[in-house]
Amino acid sequence: MTTDDSHHDDASPDEDRRQSGGEWRESDARSGGPIVPDGGTEAEGADEATLDPWGSSTIADYRKLFEQFGIEEFDEVLPEVPNPHYLMRRGVIFGHRDYRPVADAMRNDDPFAALSGFMPTGDPHIGHKLVFDEIIWHQQQGGDAYALIADLEAHSARGLSWDEIDEHATNYILSLLALGFDPDEGTLYRQSDNRAVQDLAFELGAEANFSELQAIYDFDGETDVSHMQSVVTQMADILYPQLDEPKPTVIPVGPDQDPHMRLARDLAARMRYFGVTEAFASFEADAVERTLLRQAYDAREEYAEDADRPRCGEAADWLRDHQPAPADARQSVVAKLDEAGKEPLRPRIRFLDRNATEVAFEALIETIDGEKRVYDEHIDTFDLDHAEAEELARQVELDNGGYGFQPPSSIYHRFMTGLTGGKMSSSIPASHISLLDDPEDGYDKVKSATTGGRSTAEEQREKGGKADECPVYELYAYLLSGDDDEFAKEVYDECVGGERLCGGCKEQAAELMAEFLEDHQEKREEWEDKLDELDIDLDSDRAPTSAD
Ligand code: TRP
Ligand code: SF4
C-alpha cells in the first residue's frame, strides 16, 4: 500500500489542474459574482480525467467530468437554490449529482442533511476551508450538519499512526468550529468511534463484492482488507444522516471523491426493499423497451380493434411496421408482446421485490388499495401514480425494518491552484496556506505567489492582467472577498482592465490573508478551551502502531 505523501484527500488542493478560459460572463449577471475558470484545455498531458480518491486526480478540463462521469453542471440548479453561497455563485462549486432534492427541501423547509469527512493526514488548509464552509452554510440553511474525521481511512489508506491522527483531528475540528460550525445543532464524530456507522458499514458491505471495488478503485490482490473496510465505512458515513429517517443529503467534496459517490448511490438503491417502475403488461421490460411500449400504447387508436382494450399482439404488429427504434430493442419487445398475445396492453405501476423480506412483501400487498395483481417477484397496481407508489414502498420498507434510503447527492468544488503555480500541495508549504500558518507567513506566501501578471507594468496597463490564470485572484474569489461579490468583481475588472498592478494587488491580498488567519486563529483558541465539552473523543487510546 502506498503512503506516499503526495497523495491527498478530498478537500486537498493537491490536485493537478490548470484553469483557464474563465471570464466575467455578463450574461451571468444574476450571480453578480466573478466566474472562475471554466476548465481550460491547455493543461499538458492528461486529456482524460482520472478520479482516484487516493491518487493524484488530474483534472485538466472540468468539462470532461460532465461528459465522462455524468456529473451535472451546478449552474443549472443554481436558480433553484435559495440565497446561494458565494462559492456557488462564483462557480467554485461547479458540479453536482442530484442536488435538486436538497434544494427543494431547503425551499420547502423539509428536513435535509449535509455531511463531509476529513482525512486527518496533515494540517487543515485553505482547500479544506471550502468544505468546512459548505457544511456550515448548509447548517445555516436549516440542514442537519455532520462532519467526521476519517481516522480509519487515514490509518489504513495512508498509514498514519493514531497519535498523528489525534493531533490532526483536533486541528480540523478546531478550524471547523472557528469557521462557524454549531456543534450543538450538528454532529461531529470519528469513524472509529461510531458504532452505528460501523454496523451500517457491515450491512452495506454485504451488497458490494471485491470485483466491484476492483473495478471502481483499481484494488488488486495486494490491497489490504482494512483499506477495503475504510471504503464501506465511507459508504456508511454518507448514508449515516439517513439512519433516523430518509432525507435528501448532500455530500460536499472534491471531484476526486466522485467514485465514492457513485458507489454510495448504488448501494443506497441496492438496500431498498422495492423497486418502482412503470409497466404495460405482465412481462418484464427494460427502460428502452418501456419507451417503445409507451409509444405503442399512445398510438393504440391507430391499430386496436377496441381502443379501450388494445392487445399485446396488436401492439406487436404496429411496432413491427412503425417503429424505427434500435433493432434489437424492438425485436425483444415485439417478441414479448407476441408471446403475451391477447393480453391487454395496459399502463400500470409495478413494485419489484428487490431486497424485501417476505414479511415486507406481504405487508406491501396488504397495503395497496384498489386493483392489484400479485406475481412471484412483483406486484402490479392500477390506481396509484408513480410518486404515490414510491412513497408507499418507502413507508412499507421503513415499517418493516428497512432504511428506505434516498440516493445521496453531492456537490463538487474546484481545486485551488498552488501559490507557486501548478499544483497546490501539502508537501510544498509555499504552495498552500495552512489554517495554522502564522499570519506573517501567510502574508509572505501571498506576497511571493505567482500571478497572472504581464512582464512589465506598462504591458499590464496596456493588455490587462490574466486574472483567470492567477492564483492570487483565486484567493480573492475563493476566500478573501467572502460574501462580497462586488469586491471580487472589482478586483477582476481592474485586473483585466489594466488598472490593477500585481504588486499592490498582492499587498492587498496578503494583508487580507494575514487578517483572516489572525482572526481565525483567535477563534480557534476560544474553542480550544471548550473542546472537552464536545461529544467527540479526540484521544484514540490505541496502540501506537502504524498501519503498515
Ligand atoms: N475519503 C475522504 C477523503 O479522502 C474522507 C471521507 C470519509 C469522506 N468519509 C467521508 C468524505 C464521507 C465525504 C463523505 O478525504
Ligand atoms: Fe493577479 Fe492581481 Fe496581478 Fe491581476 S493584478 S494578475 S489578480 S495579482
Side-chain angles (χ1 to χ4, degrees), residues 38-41 47-51 59-74 94-97 258 262 412:
D38 223 350
T41 44
D47 59 347
E48 284 280 294
T50 54
L51 294 177
I59 299 170
D61 184 344
Y62 281 85
R63 275 169 301 200
K64 288 230 161 69
L65 300 182
F66 305 131
E67 288 148 33
Q68 255 174 269
F69 299 102
I71 291 174
E72 293 175 85
E73 291 186 45
F74 196 82
F94 69 93
H96 75 106
R97 260 184 211 282
D258 188 56
R262 280 177 272 151
Y412 301 107

Side-chain angles (χ1 to χ4, degrees), residues 9-10 115-119 148 150 153 191 234 237-238 251 253 257 260:
D9 46 52
D10 76 286
L115 169 143
S116 197
F118 303 91
M119 238 204 300
L148 65 102
E153 186 181 356
Q191 289 177 322
Q234 177 156 354
D237 291 331
I238 291 172
I251 314 295
V253 277
Q257 298 290 303
H260 289 309

Side-chain angles (χ1 to χ4, degrees), residues 450-518:
T450 332
T451 71
R454 309 280 175 178
S455 16
T456 63
E458 200 164 80
E459 194 188 343
Q460 177 114 341
R461 284 201 190 89
E462 193 183 313
K463 298 185 182 153
K466 293 188 260 187
D468 295 316
E469 292 165 32
C470 178
V472 178
Y473 176 68
E474 254 180 57
L475 293 179
Y476 280 104
Y478 286 50
L479 188 152
L480 301 174
S481 309
D483 209 33
D484 189 348
D485 288 344
E486 286 295 302
F487 178 48
K489 181 173 171 18
E490 188 182 294
V491 172
Y492 188 91
D493 288 347
E494 287 176 3
C495 169
V496 300
E499 297 146 47
R500 188 174 262 266
L501 300 183
C502 297
C505 183
K506 285 208 280 188
E507 175 63 31
Q508 187 181 16
E511 280 166 20
L512 288 169
M513 185 59 79
E515 263 170 48
F516 161 74
L517 288 171
E518 206 170 298

